[in-house]
Amino acid sequence: GRTFEGKQTVCHDSTVNEVQFALQETFDIDSTWTSVNSATLIYSATYFSVPTILTVSNTSFSKKNIGAKKTFTTGTGAHDVSFAIPIISCVNTVIWPYSSTQVPVKVSVKDNLGNVVTTGNYLTAGSYNLSFTPATAGATYTIEFLATNVNPISNFQLDDVLISFDDATTL
């Protein structure tokens, strides 16, 4: 005849942050990037093996702007943008008087109205990061890589374009 009184079950909510990707592009397979200003987009392997990369080239006979862009859907909160530019061989040459200058690759993230929400200019090969916070989740944004007024046979490469955000789940 024993009785137990005052026994309680206490539950605690816990929040788990999980990294989600709004865009995860490693160029392991041909992708759906859009050419900017009729640039030539070539998906190719580095040194005849994986990983693959995207080469953005000016294959015309005159100077022009070249680039590539892709749309993605945003998540919630702050977004981290990371990417690699393995090669930049974009130059602007003037014949008379002779001069040659390296052209930077401009990286921009734009909202659905075309407003730039984050941007950076890069003159050397490397891995880079940007960040932005979208106005709303589920919006369509665009990431664009652009080099302006580059010589024929100029190009740059892209690899590992990742746009991530933390998705909080309460358990």
Side-chain angles (χ1 to χ4, degrees), residues 42-129:
I42 302 168
Y43 301 92
S44 59
T46 56
Y47 307 109
F48 304 104
S49 62
V50 238
T52 54
I53 54 174
L54 173 62
T55 301
V56 181
S57 300
N58 177 4
T59 55
S60 74
F61 294 106
S62 60
K63 291 182 187 181
K64 71 177 187 178
N65 301 341
I66 59 170
K69 64 182 179 178
K70 186 161 185 162
T71 59
F72 61 93
T73 304
T74 61
T76 57
H79 285 54
D80 295 316
V81 180
S82 65
F83 53 91
I85 303 175
I87 293 175
I88 301 176
S89 65
C90 295
V91 293
N92 179 351
T93 302
V94 175
I95 302 299
W96 184 258
Y98 180 80
S99 67
S100 182
T101 55
Q102 179 75 26
V103 176
V105 174
K106 181 178 183 179
V107 180
S108 302
V109 175
K110 300 176 183 178
D111 65 15
N112 60 343
L113 298 174
N115 300 314
V116 175
V117 296
T118 189
T119 190
N121 290 304
Y122 307 95
L123 277 169
T124 59
S127 295
Y128 300 100
N129 295 290

